[in-house]
Amino acid sequence: MTAALVLGTDLAVLAHRPARVDIAMPSTSSPTAGETWLILGTDSRTTVPGDQSRYGTTQEVEGTRADVLALARPSEAGLTIINLPRDLTINSKDRELDRLATTYVSGPQNTVNALCTGLGIPTTHLITIDMAQFADIIDSLGGIEVDVPEPVRDAYTGLNLTSAGPHRLTGIDALALVRSRHPEILRDGTWVAMSEADGAQRRSESTAKVMQAVLSAVEKRFSNPLALHQLAHTVAGNITLDSNTGLSDLAELGRHASQAKKAGSTTIIDLPTGPRDESIIVSPNQESRDLLAQYGYTPKTCRPASS
């Protein structure tokens, strides 16, 4: 009886830890769209972890943007994660062009609607994480192991990895890696600045590596009940969920991720796009449309709830 009471209390506490946001999810006529989790990492300066000077400016940036956008699709075949470029420009509404990053300035509902209207993506669950929360989750995992191809630094984010190969990254260092857009690479003893287009591409690659490392670290926790319990409380206290997504939904996503990792059926894809121009803005091309169509995401099949 006492054990049941303790367990019930713990579950009640856990259920109330995530922040909530009301989102009206879109509808779709696509028979193959399936369950789609939209994972948003935001760049809000109100919760910057550590020394603010590591993030390029100590001045408050107006509004909050989507810094990382990923679609997670669990299925019996495994787990697929599609990384969407934050600079991808789409027809979000009324034929207006908008970057995915800036759709979030008006709030997450606007981003969900833009993905639906512009790319045919019907979000079913939403997770948002700010920079401090991201760092806390990484630290709760004991850091993550990431392999870097060559020494890299970025004064704008505080990234400073002076050797190639595997690195154990803390939360702040992992954040610096996934936010790096102006990296310098050490080649033949000289630090060489990458172009903006190459820097943006490197950022996408780094994001995929960090996601893979996080999934690996989470999978290890599933074999240790105590470590899993601690991780669950840390994650629940560091995310915002849409009001219709419960912890049971989140646990099911975690189960899929763990099983997919063990079976080697986790796929992480960077959405292909057209060439980047000097402003690093990119647009959908036929290759990106074809890839999205493989998962049931096609224009005109998705309708925002507010429409």
Side-chain angles (χ1 to χ4, degrees):
M1 181 69 175
T2 301
L5 180 60
V6 170
L7 177 60
T9 302
D10 185 63
L11 290 175
V13 171
L14 191 62
H16 285 86
R17 284 184 65 78
R20 298 285 178 173
V21 62
D22 289 329
I23 298 290
M25 296 303 183
S27 59
T28 181
S29 59
S30 171
T32 57
E35 184 179 10
T36 301
W37 289 74
L38 173 59
I39 303 173
L40 287 175
T42 70
D43 70 351
S44 172
R45 296 304 200 275
T46 61
T47 56
V48 168
D51 183 0
Q52 287 200 8
S53 65
R54 293 188 59 159
Y55 302 94
T57 178
T58 57
Q59 297 178 349
E60 184 174 347
V61 176
E62 183 179 354
T64 298
R65 292 165 176 75
D67 214 31
V68 174
L69 302 96
L71 307 175
R73 289 181 48 96
S75 70
E76 293 306 315
L79 178 69
T80 301
I81 296 175
I82 305 174
N83 288 321
L84 304 177
R86 70 190 298 273
D87 299 311
L88 188 68
T89 301
I90 59 173
N91 289 309
S92 60
K93 59 182 179 180
D94 300 326
R95 297 185 179 180
E96 293 180 3
L97 292 176
D98 203 356
R99 283 196 312 144
L100 288 183
T102 55
T103 60
Y104 194 86
V105 173
S106 299
Q109 181 71 67
N110 191 52
T111 302
V112 167
N113 289 351
L115 288 173
C116 174
T117 304
L119 297 174
I121 298 171
T123 300
T124 54
H125 301 281
L126 173 69
I127 302 175
T128 63
I129 307 171
D130 65 31
M131 291 195 287
Q133 292 169 335
F134 174 86
D136 283 347
I137 291 173
I138 297 294
D139 286 336
S140 74
L141 293 168
I144 55 173
E145 192 83 14
V146 174
D147 193 25
V148 297
E150 51 196 339
V152 58
R153 68 185 187 185
D154 189 332
Y156 286 87
T157 68
L159 180 65
N160 189 30
L161 303 177
T162 57
S163 62
H167 287 263
R168 170 65 59 173
L169 302 183
T170 65
I172 288 180
D173 289 332
L175 179 63
L177 181 61
V178 299
R179 299 198 72 248
S180 174
R181 313 186 52 139
H182 307 281
E184 293 180 300
I185 307 300
L186 184 63
R187 291 174 178 165
D188 299 324
T190 302
W191 288 102
V192 179
M194 300 183 74
S195 69
E196 289 211 23
D198 288 343
Q201 179 60 38
R202 177 63 67 92
R203 182 181 188 180
S204 295
E205 295 168 359
S206 296
T207 299
K209 287 184 178 181
V210 167
M211 284 187 174
Q212 191 69 62
V214 168
L215 289 173
S216 295
V218 169
E219 191 272 327
K220 293 177 181 177
R221 296 302 190 279
F222 271 76
S223 61
N224 184 327
L226 179 59
L228 183 60
H229 176 268
Q230 292 172 338
L231 177 63
H233 274 269
T234 299
V235 171
N238 281 287
I239 58 175
T240 297
L241 298 174
D242 67 272
S243 55
N244 291 320
T245 293
L247 288 184
S248 60
D249 299 309
L250 197 61
E252 186 66 10
L253 177 64
R255 184 185 69 82
H256 272 286
S258 177
Q259 291 180 345
K261 183 62 182 175
K262 289 180 180 178
S265 55
T266 300
T267 303
I268 299 180
I269 305 168
D270 284 336
L271 184 72
T273 59
R276 295 177 183 269
D277 60 23
E278 293 182 358
S279 63
I280 70 171
I281 299 299
V282 291
S283 301
N285 60 7
Q286 192 58 49
E287 187 179 2
S288 58
R289 295 188 187 96
D290 289 345
L291 183 134
L292 291 174
Q294 291 178 28
Y295 297 95
Y297 305 142
T298 55
K300 299 182 180 179
T301 62
C302 187
R303 181 180 180 84
S306 58
S307 296

